[in-house]
Amino acid sequence: MSMGGLLWIILVGFIAGLIARWLAPGPNNPSGFILTTILGIAGAFLATWIGQAIGHYSPDQGAGFITATIGAVVVLFIWHRLVASGVIKG
């Protein structure tokens, strides 16, 4: 992977994380550049994994921007549930 590819993943992850935080606001959302980026990247990995598992993506294909954002919203929902149940401290 090239440096440009890594920077692209970080940029898309950050934007997907920002959109997910905007779509699912809450008092215990992860904040800051790093956590927002991790949220978006985790969403992209989740969307890729599910997409490959159901046969929507081939093994060498990754999730697109929209599905990465949807995956980030799902990850954020899981975050909210874990904070609400006291498993993690938000």
Side-chain angles (χ1 to χ4, degrees), residues 9-84:
I9 290 171
I10 291 171
L11 178 66
V12 169
F14 178 68
I15 294 170
L18 278 178
I19 293 171
R21 286 182 30 204
W22 178 71
L23 290 173
N28 54 14
N29 276 350
S31 61
F33 175 78
I34 293 175
L35 288 178
T36 301
T37 305
I38 290 171
L39 170 67
I41 292 172
F45 277 116
L46 178 66
T48 299
W49 180 72
I50 291 173
Q52 288 176 352
I54 64 173
H56 186 67
Y57 298 124
S58 65
D60 61 335
Q61 212 176 6
F65 177 72
I66 294 172
T67 52
T69 303
I70 293 169
V73 169
V74 171
V75 170
L76 191 57
F77 175 77
I78 293 168
W79 173 273
H80 285 247
R81 294 295 94 214
L82 291 174
V83 170

